[in-house]
Amino acid sequence: KQEVTQIPAALSVPEGENLVLNCSFTDSAIYNLQWFRQDPGKGLTSLLLIQSSQREQTSGRLNASLDKSSGRSTLYIAASQPGDSATYLCAVSSNYQLIWGAGTKLIIKP
Amino acid sequence: KAGVTQTPRYLIKTRGQQVTLSCSPISGHRSVSWYQQTPGQGLQFLFEYFSETQRNKGNFPGRFSGRQFSNSRSEMNVSTLELGDSALYLCASSLVGTGGTYEQYFGPGTRLTVT
């Protein structure tokens, strides 16, 4: 049974720092992996999708990597800003469903 | 292009009642998935539909059901509501590749409160 874990559960850093969020999964037979952002009381915004054959994807200040063999993905956020404060979720796709981590709650202090 | 829309956005129901939630996918997307989000359990997969066929179902009781129409719009129904069904219900749509779905785009969700 696929399990997805995100570490840390919460993170508070000063503005301007570069940071890394971690996601691990137990079964490497995935179709793709997505990173999402969720603001309090809101829905989910897709940030990056990495196909199983890819190693990384970049969008602006965000970079996500995928190592299927070790069951790990990282989301790198460069030059963090207060507007980056949100909960970040990773999800792996297999058999037409997304299996989710519990999320990392990120607070960027001005 | 319009995003995924869900109606209603908020709903308050009483235990024992039933509820129907609606989801309209992004134009051209034929795969629609439903997820339940609660503080205790996080995000959990309910079911996925493609071309009016349910291809996968999560571990939820039979009180949770869904369907998809020929225009790809989808509905989910919860019968005999329980207090524990209070949650944010999220719908997502996507294009479909060989063996799985591509990037999933989520609607704003329907917040269901059962009293």
Side-chain angles (χ1 to χ4, degrees):
Chain A
K1 178 188 170 187
Q2 178 75 270
E3 293 182 359
V4 181
T5 304
Q6 290 188 248
I7 294 174
L11 185 62
S12 180
V13 300
E15 179 179 6
E17 283 201 5
N18 303 323
L19 53 97
V20 174
L21 308 182
N22 296 292
C23 172
S24 62
F25 48 95
T26 55
D27 186 348
S28 62
I30 64 172
Y31 192 70
N32 57 48
L33 183 147
Q34 262 184 279
W35 282 93
F36 294 88
R37 167 187 174 138
Q38 186 171 35
D39 293 283
K42 300 292 180 64
L44 297 163
T45 301
S46 177
L47 297 173
L48 289 165
L49 176 140
I50 312 176
Q51 296 289 354
S52 62
S53 58
Q54 297 176 320
R55 296 288 300 214
E56 67 178 314
Q57 281 287 342
T58 299
S59 176
R61 295 182 295 108
L62 304 179
N63 175 276
S65 67
L66 174 64
D67 184 344
K68 265 182 48 175
S69 61
S70 66
R72 292 181 182 179
S73 176
T74 61
L75 179 66
Y76 175 83
I77 303 176
S80 58
Q81 304 170 357
D84 294 331
S85 297
T87 295
Y88 290 79
L89 296 133
C90 73
V92 297
S93 173
S94 64
N95 199 22
Y96 306 111
Q97 66 172 294
L98 290 178
I99 302 166
W100 300 83
T104 294
K105 184 174 182 178
L106 177 64
I107 297 174
I108 307 298
K109 297 175 288 187
Chain B
K1 191 182 263 191
V4 178
T5 59
Q6 292 186 245
T7 57
R9 292 290 311 280
Y10 303 91
L11 206 49
I12 299 175
K13 289 286 189 178
T14 304
R15 270 183 304 174
Q17 288 185 315
Q18 74 165 17
V19 67
T20 299
L21 311 182
S22 180
C23 172
S24 293
I26 292 171
S27 177
H29 287 191
R30 295 166 63 192
S31 170
V32 175
S33 302
W34 289 89
Y35 297 86
Q36 181 197 65
Q37 186 176 32
T38 59
Q41 298 297 317
L43 275 153
Q44 293 184 285
F45 170 74
L46 281 157
F47 21 67
E48 190 263 357
Y49 288 90
F50 175 74
S51 291
E52 303 177 66
T53 298
Q54 185 184 90
R55 295 193 296 189
N56 197 2
K57 187 181 190 314
N59 189 26
F60 280 82
R63 301 184 297 106
F64 291 81
S65 63
R67 60 177 175 170
Q68 187 181 34
F69 301 96
S70 58
N71 62 357
S72 294
R73 190 177 68 85
S74 177
E75 290 181 346
M76 68 162 282
N77 183 275
V78 188
S79 62
T80 319
L81 284 165
E82 300 177 0
L83 293 178
D85 297 334
S86 294
L88 180 65
Y89 289 87
L90 293 160
C91 166
S93 75
S94 67
L95 296 169
V96 176
T98 304
T101 57
Y102 291 136
E103 188 168 3
Q104 294 206 11
Y105 296 87
F106 281 79
T110 294
R111 184 161 298 279
L112 172 65
T113 302
V114 182
T115 63

